[in-house]
């Protein structure tokens, strides 16, 4: 049904580290107006379309929104990559990874994994 290309539609190459910016960007992941919500809304709306071509178009938009999730995740990951968890905590970003430690966003150091 879906075809996954193992590349981003628009390459993400963040040069800075900023957990503060990551804290803002991550709301686009699953926040109230985020990409996950948009994908699910489009996916649900397609079933109400009587015209199969319109339903197909709405489905294509839903899949596009899912692709945006991958880009947002890449942005957040690059913004916090290799930062110690303490720096992320100081920036106020800790509430986003409290259930998963840094593993969700970074490649943790051995010290971070002992937490």
């Amino acid at each position: 049904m879906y075809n996954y290309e193992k590349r981003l539609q628009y390459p993400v190459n963040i040069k800075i580290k900023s957990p503060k910016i990551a804290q803002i960007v991550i709301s686009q992941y699953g926040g109230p107006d985020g990409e996950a919500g948009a994908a699910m809304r489009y996916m649900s709306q397609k079933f109400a379309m009587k015209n199969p071509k319109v339903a197909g178009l709405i489905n294509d938009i839903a899949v596009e929104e899912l692709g945006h999730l991958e880009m947002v995740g890449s942005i957040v990951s690059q913004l916090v990559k290799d930062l110690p968890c303490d720096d992320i905590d100081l920036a106020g970003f800790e509430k986003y990874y409290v259930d998963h430690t840094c593993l969700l966003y970074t490649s943790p150091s051995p010290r971070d994994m002992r937490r």
Side-chain angles (χ1 to χ4, degrees):
M1 178 178 248
Y2 298 100
N3 182 26
Y4 173 67
E5 294 182 26
K6 294 181 181 184
R7 65 176 179 79
L8 292 178
Q9 184 176 7
Y10 297 101
V12 175
N13 191 15
I14 306 294
K15 301 283 187 210
I16 62 168
K17 305 295 180 215
S18 176
K20 279 289 194 192
I21 294 173
Q23 187 176 353
I24 295 166
V25 172
I26 199 147
S27 71
Q28 286 304 307
Y29 204 73
D33 296 318
E35 303 298 337
M40 295 306 107
R41 283 189 296 276
Y42 283 115
M43 195 67 70
S44 298
Q45 290 169 358
K46 78 176 184 177
F47 296 109
M49 299 296 131
K50 294 182 190 225
N51 183 323
K53 288 184 180 182
V54 175
L57 175 63
I58 297 294
N59 189 72
D60 290 345
I61 295 169
V63 172
E64 185 72 20
E65 297 297 336
L66 291 173
H68 296 165
L69 282 171
E70 191 170 21
M71 286 188 275
V72 172
S74 294
I75 291 168
V76 172
S77 177
Q78 290 176 30
L79 284 168
V80 298
K81 183 176 175 124
D82 298 328
L83 284 177
C85 286
D86 293 340
D87 289 354
I88 294 171
D89 290 347
L90 288 173
F93 192 61
E94 74 282 354
K95 64 185 173 183
Y96 294 105
Y97 69 86
V98 73
D99 291 334
H100 307 285
T101 69
C102 290
L103 296 175
L104 187 58
Y105 306 106
T106 66
S107 298
S109 69
R111 181 189 139 274
D112 293 332
M113 292 182 73
R114 287 192 303 263
R115 284 183 136 191

